[in-house]
Amino acid sequence: MTSTRGRVAALLGAVAVVAGTTLAAPAVAAPAAGAARPGGGITGKSGGITGQAPCQGAPEFTCGTITVPLDHSGATPGSLQLDVAMTGNADAPKGDLLFLTGGPGQPGVPLIRRVASKLTPVLKDYRLVMFDQRGTGERALQCPGLQEDMGSSDLAVPRKQSIADCAAALGPNARHYGTADTVGDMDLLRQALGDRRLTIDGVSYGTFVAERYALAHPAHVARLVLDSVVPQRGFDPLDLGALPATARVLHTACQATGCTTDPAADLAATVRRYGNGAQILDALTSYEFADPDYGGVPEALHEAAAGQPAKLQAFIDEVHKNDAAPAEFLSQGLHAATLCADSHFPWGTTDTPVAGRAAALERTRQRLTTEQTWPYDAATATGLGSLLVCLDWPREPVPPTPPAHRKLPNVPVLLIGGDRDLSTPYEWLYEEAAQAHDPQIVIVPGAAHSVQSRAANPAGRQAVYDFLLK
């Protein structure tokens, strides 16, 4: 969904690091909407966003804050401030384009200059808006042990003590950091911006947020761009999409680079020999950000399959050296809180008693078939950090999941993905496309995760420009 999904996040670029967070601050009234805008929005002045001033370090953009309730139901008191950044064209003819970053755990405001540079052709028609989702950026949830163990990865396996310390530090308010809470924040942001409808562009986990917003507020969506798609059903903790997709991705990269081995068969043999499938998948889904051709990987796998694992281990170690990241770049505390609130696991949800979870996970491991996990194995599927973080997470109530049969609203939807993406394999894109009424699909050859920001091939960006300027 980073490397997250390295993996569940799309790592878009360097982020300014500022420490500090709070789970709850004194309550402040929600911002009010403004007057009607001639083009169908509500106001071009963003009066509900307070403290507006040139952004620090990027003065060509305007920054401010919006205050949202900690608990949108009102049952738990307190409020949060979320940072917002915007381009200056408040009266753009096509209204506001809200860009959602990945994670969960990645901020938005520090990335606005980079994102704006990728969307330049549409910014005469749209005002670009980005915000730090709750628990990210300058107000990132801080879990130092978990941050040290996982960095920018969501597949690395953290220490159990780090998980316990994080859950204790966040306390019962951790349950207010799920996607449903961010969806509620987005609608308050929409009102503060003065929009009846938003055009939304989401990347990786941002696609999931966009989909869930569209399902919750269908009348307030104009069109959707979904880049590196997480389907609306949510993240699969067993990663049964990415596991078999690895064979396709490695074969495609191998053909493009002219390698002469069978990397999928070598991967399967390596996992059987060493039992290191989770470590390999973690390394590959981080490495795609550096090299979507996966250069050197087929050779390392071939040697490992033949009993010489040194080159493969060196590759894994080198990738992990680059995984370190502060919470302000990608908050692992927020990442854990959100995934544990959102996801459906082999044991059920986080509302399932902790005592029976491990046994349920073991039963699932025993039932998994070779077809489901090849070229990995069942131990890989049940040994990923993104799942194990939630295995012992304290029991908490979770929000209801939208019905599986519900389609996205009948608005234009563009779905783009790369054929080298393991973080969000394009099989997920096609799954979500089935939930759209008339989807436009673009698969970009040679591209990995976060097509708009990272792909060398410009086809995905051009598709976004054409789609948004229709």
Side-chain angles (χ1 to χ4, degrees):
M1 255 168 163
T2 135
S3 36
T4 149
R5 293 172 129 36
R7 256 236 50 169
V8 183
L11 303 183
L12 294 176
V15 177
V17 175
V18 185
T21 184
T22 180
L23 281 176
V28 178
R37 184 196 295 178
I42 300 180
T43 177
K45 302 304 180 184
S46 305
I49 297 173
T50 61
Q52 294 187 46
C55 297
Q56 185 177 4
E60 67 271 35
F61 303 100
T62 298
C63 281
T65 60
I66 178 175
T67 302
V68 300
L70 172 67
D71 179 359
H72 283 278
S73 76
T76 304
S79 64
L80 302 169
Q81 285 192 318
L82 308 180
D83 292 334
V84 181
M86 304 166 284
T87 52
N89 52 335
D91 295 320
K94 289 184 177 291
D96 289 328
L97 171 61
L98 179 62
F99 191 99
L100 300 173
T101 52
Q106 188 180 37
V109 168
L111 300 176
I112 190 166
R113 178 178 282 166
R114 177 177 174 85
V115 171
S117 73
K118 301 297 182 180
L119 291 171
T120 298
V122 307
L123 294 187
K124 288 184 179 179
D125 291 83
Y126 291 91
R127 175 171 62 168
L128 175 64
V129 180
M130 298 182 69
F131 79 112
D132 289 348
Q133 297 173 36
R134 57 172 60 200
T136 73
E138 291 190 9
R139 298 174 175 85
L141 298 187
Q142 299 284 342
C143 287
L146 202 59
Q147 200 71 38
E148 178 183 353
D149 293 351
M150 303 191 76
S152 62
S153 170
D154 66 354
L155 298 183
V157 178
R159 295 165 291 177
K160 285 197 171 188
Q161 188 61 51
S162 297
I163 300 169
D165 290 346
C166 182
L170 301 186
N173 281 349
R175 66 191 181 94
H176 299 305
Y177 287 84
T179 299
D181 302 286
T182 294
V183 165
D185 297 341
M186 283 175 61
D187 206 50
L188 293 180
L189 176 59
R190 174 191 65 79
Q191 295 174 48
L193 291 167
D195 291 317
R196 287 200 180 97
R197 297 197 300 169
L198 290 168
T199 295
I200 304 174
D201 184 343
V203 175
S204 192
Y205 169 70
T207 67
F208 179 66
V209 177
E211 292 152 10
R212 286 295 179 91
Y213 181 83
L215 292 171
H217 302 281
H220 297 312
V221 175
R223 57 182 56 217
L224 294 170
V225 176
L226 306 176
D227 173 358
S228 306
V229 180
V230 178
Q232 66 190 51
R233 65 169 167 82
F235 154 70
D236 174 11
L238 297 172
D239 237 349
L240 296 181
L243 267 59
T246 302
R248 171 183 57 75
V249 168
L250 290 179
H251 280 144
T252 301
C254 194
Q255 290 169 3
T257 57
C259 78
T260 58
T261 62
D262 183 341
D266 287 335
L267 173 56
T270 298
V271 171
R272 286 197 304 272
R273 182 185 283 262
Y274 301 107
N276 57 353
Q279 292 79 17
I280 295 173
L281 180 61
D282 184 21
L284 291 178
T285 52
S286 292
Y287 190 58
E288 71 176 274
F289 291 89
D291 181 7
D293 286 336
Y294 299 89
V297 170
E299 295 82 359
L301 289 172
H302 192 63
E303 290 186 14
Q308 298 176 320
K311 186 178 291 184
L312 177 63
Q313 190 59 53
F315 164 73
I316 293 171
D317 292 343
E318 183 63 27
V319 169
H320 284 311
K321 279 170 55 178
N322 298 319
D323 262 350
E328 294 77 16
F329 184 93
L330 178 71
S331 169
Q332 287 292 350
L334 186 280
H335 191 267
T338 302
L339 291 186
C340 295
D342 286 358
S343 302
H344 290 261
F345 302 95
W347 55 84
T349 69
T350 302
D351 201 15
T352 300
V354 174
R357 295 178 189 174
L361 182 60
E362 174 58 21
R363 290 192 296 271
T364 295
R365 187 193 66 79
Q366 293 176 8
R367 289 196 299 266
L368 288 171
T369 66
T370 299
E371 183 180 7
Q372 289 176 291
T373 61
W374 194 90
Y376 299 95
D377 58 8
T380 302
T382 57
L384 301 173
S386 46
L387 180 152
L388 296 178
V389 162
C390 298
L391 180 62
D392 295 315
W393 197 257
R395 187 180 184 185
E396 64 187 24
V398 298
T401 301
H405 66 275
R406 283 193 55 194
K407 282 184 169 281
L408 295 171
N410 190 8
V411 299
V413 179
L414 170 66
L415 304 97
I416 59 176
D419 69 350
R420 310 287 175 82
D421 188 0
L422 283 177
S423 294
T424 52
Y426 67 49
E427 287 82 358
W428 286 0
L429 181 154
Y430 284 107
E431 177 184 332
E432 185 59 28
Q435 303 302 318
H437 289 268
D438 185 20
Q440 179 181 339
I441 297 170
V442 176
I443 304 297
V444 181
H449 198 61
S450 187
V451 173
Q452 292 172 84
S453 178
R454 292 182 170 270
N457 186 332
R461 285 183 291 276
Q462 189 59 53
V464 171
Y465 306 153
D466 295 343
F467 176 79
L468 291 177
L469 294 175
K470 281 182 181 177

